[in-house]
Amino acid sequence: MQPDLNALAVFALVAEERSFRAAADRTGVTRSAVSQTMKRLEETLGIALVQRTTRSVSLTEAGERLYAGIAPAIADMRAVMETTGDMRGRPRGQLRLAVSSIAERFLSGPFLATFAEANPEVQIDITVTDEEFDIVAEGYDAGVRLGEVIEQDMIAVSVAGDERQLAVCAPAYRDRFGAPAHPSELAGHRCIGWRRAPKVAPYRWEFAENGKEFSVAVAPEITTNDMALMTKLALAGAGITFGMEESFRPSIDRGELVAVLEGYCPRFAGFYLYYPSRRNVAPKLRALVDHLRRLG
């Protein structure tokens, strides 16, 4: 038997109030509607649940047993409804994010640390991934990706300004093998490549010349999906690698890495926090958006 949850909720009110009129007032319907609902429930169960007189309503033995069985569940549902309603007012709950591994500024300690401190009732769950998937279907509240790969039906908020990718190597590698003068010369160099997932071709290095964009399919001697490892290998003199300038900037500033082919590396729209277009954005996600805008 499929339970009629609406009828059970009405019965619980009748049992609590011992009055059809009072139950009707609490539900916002007519007394006749409550009476019809009760009649339908009794017909479904095949037994009387209440006894009515002109002045009072009392429960039969079957009614008492039914009410004792459903009352805890009704109370739990009401508590959950109240708690859910409270979530409209303040940020709370788990905030699931899927973030690109090269979104350096977003993944930096200070940004997330200050957000967590300002929102102690929000539990942040971050998956660092470069896989491309539907964040909604996978249960994420939002994602962080380069603007060029975000679907047009998403709301996108800039994480940082324009970005660019650089080709870099250690000074020792440059001194030993020379620096390429044009991206086409990368074929003659040892390269450290990146791929976003197993069984996926290495990323083609993207450049621009005279306003026209083009890409080069290098043949990496070493390929990985870990930008940190790529940086370590470049620092060790293993070859030329290619990635986001922010990832390499500390090593460049310390003189541990040098940029090559810099004139062929254009700037482009950077990373965005994106999420589905909804009429009501959850407070936890709204708080993250506001935090991002304040610090931007």
Side-chain angles (χ1 to χ4, degrees):
M1 180 187 301
Q2 185 69 27
D4 185 336
L5 299 181
N6 180 63
L8 290 173
V10 170
F11 165 70
L13 289 176
V14 171
E16 292 169 8
E17 298 291 342
R18 295 297 198 269
S19 165
F20 278 31
R21 180 180 294 279
D25 290 343
R26 285 181 61 179
T27 56
V29 299
T30 64
R31 183 172 57 177
S32 174
V34 170
S35 179
Q36 290 297 319
T37 299
M38 288 298 305
K39 180 180 179 181
R40 187 170 63 251
L41 180 61
E42 289 178 326
E43 289 175 349
T44 299
L45 295 174
I47 193 169
L49 299 174
V50 297
Q51 293 176 332
R52 296 179 63 186
T53 68
T54 57
R55 295 185 178 182
S56 65
V57 173
S58 61
L59 299 183
T60 64
E61 181 181 357
E64 292 283 5
R65 177 175 296 183
L66 178 61
Y67 180 63
I70 68 171
I74 295 290
D76 287 345
M77 285 190 290
R78 288 171 181 165
V80 170
M81 291 291 288
E82 291 177 3
T83 302
T84 302
D86 288 344
M87 292 180 71
R88 293 178 300 177
R90 66 180 188 271
R92 61 187 302 181
Q94 186 181 65
L95 180 64
R96 298 190 67 213
L97 306 173
V99 183
S100 169
S101 66
I102 53 177
E104 297 282 343
R105 188 167 303 181
F106 186 87
L107 291 173
S108 70
F111 174 79
L112 292 171
T114 53
F115 174 75
E117 183 177 1
N119 298 275
E121 293 187 77
V122 177
Q123 295 82 50
I124 311 165
D125 187 308
I126 300 173
T127 298
V128 178
T129 176
D130 294 302
E131 294 276 4
E132 294 181 6
F133 55 84
D134 184 341
I135 60 171
V136 177
E138 295 299 324
Y140 289 91
D141 296 290
V144 177
R145 290 283 183 273
L146 286 171
E148 62 189 29
V149 299
I150 296 175
E151 296 88 343
Q152 292 186 350
D153 61 346
M154 292 285 180
I155 296 175
V157 181
S158 178
V159 171
D162 290 347
E163 305 272 0
R164 69 169 174 170
Q165 297 191 96
L166 287 179
V168 299
C169 64
Y173 177 90
R174 178 199 57 192
D175 296 343
R176 182 179 176 186
F177 298 102
H182 188 274
S184 61
E185 297 180 10
L186 287 167
H189 281 268
R190 297 161 61 187
C191 295
I192 305 161
W194 177 84
R195 56 170 169 73
R196 61 179 174 83
K199 300 181 181 180
V200 175
Y203 174 71
R204 295 174 64 96
W205 296 10
E206 297 178 280
F207 301 97
E209 185 176 17
N210 299 323
K212 295 183 178 180
E213 297 179 354
F214 64 98
S215 63
V216 175
V218 300
E221 290 192 359
I222 304 174
T223 304
T224 179
N225 67 337
D226 186 355
M227 178 60 68
L229 177 57
M230 292 165 61
T231 302
K232 291 176 183 178
L233 290 168
L235 289 167
I240 300 173
T241 194
F242 190 77
M244 301 303 296
E245 180 178 8
E246 277 194 329
S247 299
F248 302 133
R249 178 49 57 188
S251 297
I252 293 174
D253 290 343
R254 291 192 298 266
E256 298 168 346
L257 290 175
V258 293
V260 298
L261 303 172
E262 196 166 1
Y264 297 94
C265 298
R267 304 196 74 83
F268 52 86
F271 290 95
Y272 288 79
L273 174 76
Y274 69 100
Y275 52 94
S277 176
R278 298 191 185 104
R279 180 175 298 177
N280 296 315
V281 177
K284 58 186 178 181
L285 180 55
R286 174 57 59 194
L288 181 66
V289 172
D290 291 343
H291 187 71
L292 182 60
R293 285 173 170 157
R294 281 195 300 271
L295 296 184

